[in-house]
């Protein structure tokens, strides 16, 4: 099971960065050709792609990497989560984050919850991370437009533990695995959408 989750995570992260790596490679090819007419386009491609890659890798390092001191720093966690969400939202439909300081024991779960909820949002929205009773809650705004199909798939993983070979399910699969190992209580709080409480 752990090996399968590792494979899913590797595949998902590779998928999430490969497009921008390809864009950087294309920009470098244009640079090598030396056509000054494309210089503005090249600069734009390099700037956008490098910003996306940097934001995603910072987030992935915290969400999936080994424990490090930054998991204790709320400002760094918030910055990483906001930076990641900015790379998947659009200008017209951004995904915003409302993050209130939470206990350190829940920070990685919060990041994985943010990533899982972001996966179901269709036209932007707000993801909230906040203390809740003895733990935390990670939810989206009630009026957010979501993919009902994706919600069903994610809830099936949570309820059955069946992750098959779908790399898009890596965040929720890893989240469920961490919860089971830690003994933290975990339940859903939204009928129509996707919201988590960890206690």
């Amino acid at each position: 099971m752990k090996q399968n989750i590792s494979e899913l995570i590797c595949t998902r992260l590779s998928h999430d960065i490969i497009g921008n790596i390809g864009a950087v490679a294309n920009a470098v090819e244009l640079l090598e050709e030396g056509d000054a007419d494309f210089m503005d386009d090249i600069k734009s491609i390099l700037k956008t792609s490098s910003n996306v890659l940097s934001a995603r890798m910072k987030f992935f390092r915290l969400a999936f990497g080994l424990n490090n001191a930054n998991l204790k720093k709320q400002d760094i966690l918030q910055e990483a989560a906001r930076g990641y969400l900015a790379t998947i939202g659009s200008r017209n439909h951004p995904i915003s984050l409302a993050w209130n300081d939470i206990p350190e024991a829940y920070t990685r779960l919060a990041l994985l919850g943010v990533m899982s909820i972001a996966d179901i949002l269709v036209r932007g929205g707000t993801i909230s991370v906040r203390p809740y009773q003895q733990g935390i809650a990670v939810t989206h705004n009630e009026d957010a437009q979501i993919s009902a199909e994706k919600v069903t798939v994610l809830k099936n993983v949570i309820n059955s533990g069946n992750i098959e070979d779908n790399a898009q399910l890596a965040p929720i699969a890893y989240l469920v695995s961490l919860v089971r190992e830690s003994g933290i209580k975990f339940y859903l709080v939204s009928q129509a959408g996707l919201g988590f409480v960890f206690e």
Side-chain angles (χ1 to χ4, degrees):
M1 182 70 169
K2 285 186 178 179
Q3 181 179 353
N4 192 24
I5 291 176
S6 297
E7 292 169 348
L8 290 177
I9 291 171
C10 245
T11 305
R12 170 65 190 265
L13 301 193
S14 298
H15 174 273
D16 284 2
I17 64 173
I18 194 64
N20 286 281
I21 290 175
V24 170
N26 290 337
V28 170
E29 283 184 18
L30 290 173
L31 271 176
E32 289 174 341
E33 291 173 4
D35 190 338
D37 292 341
F38 291 105
M39 192 55 66
D40 287 342
D41 292 334
I42 293 169
K43 288 179 181 178
S44 177
I45 291 169
L46 290 174
K47 181 177 181 180
T48 300
S49 296
S50 63
N51 287 343
V52 169
L53 288 169
S54 177
R56 290 188 178 181
M57 293 308 294
K58 285 178 183 176
F59 180 84
F60 294 157
R61 172 70 179 88
L62 290 168
F64 296 101
L66 293 174
N67 286 330
N68 67 68
N70 286 334
L71 286 170
K72 302 177 182 179
K73 300 175 182 177
Q74 300 287 321
D75 57 336
I76 291 177
L77 295 169
Q78 290 181 51
E79 179 185 353
R82 285 195 175 93
Y84 170 74
L85 293 175
T87 72
I88 59 175
S90 68
R91 182 175 297 176
N92 294 329
H93 303 289
I95 301 175
S96 60
L97 178 71
W99 181 297
N100 296 299
D101 288 358
I102 58 173
E104 180 187 338
Y106 300 98
T107 54
R108 189 185 301 274
L109 298 177
L111 294 174
L112 293 168
V114 165
M115 191 174 180
S116 298
I117 289 175
D119 282 347
I120 68 159
L121 297 178
V122 176
R123 290 181 171 271
T126 300
I127 299 176
S128 171
V129 176
R130 66 186 187 281
Y132 181 84
Q133 297 181 7
Q134 302 302 312
I136 67 165
V138 184
T139 58
H140 60 75
N141 55 313
E142 292 183 5
D143 58 345
Q145 186 176 345
I146 60 173
S147 166
E149 181 180 353
K150 289 182 179 178
V151 169
T152 299
V153 171
L154 292 180
K155 287 184 176 179
N156 180 57
V157 172
I158 293 166
N159 293 326
S160 70
N162 182 16
I163 56 176
E164 301 177 352
D165 287 325
N166 184 348
Q168 290 301 308
L169 301 177
I172 198 72
Y174 188 43
L175 185 152
V176 170
S177 174
L178 289 178
V179 166
R180 288 178 177 167
E181 288 178 4
S182 67
I184 291 174
K185 294 179 181 178
F186 164 49
Y187 53 94
L188 298 170
V189 293
S190 174
Q191 293 295 322
L194 190 69
F196 311 106
V197 165
F198 306 97
E199 291 184 323

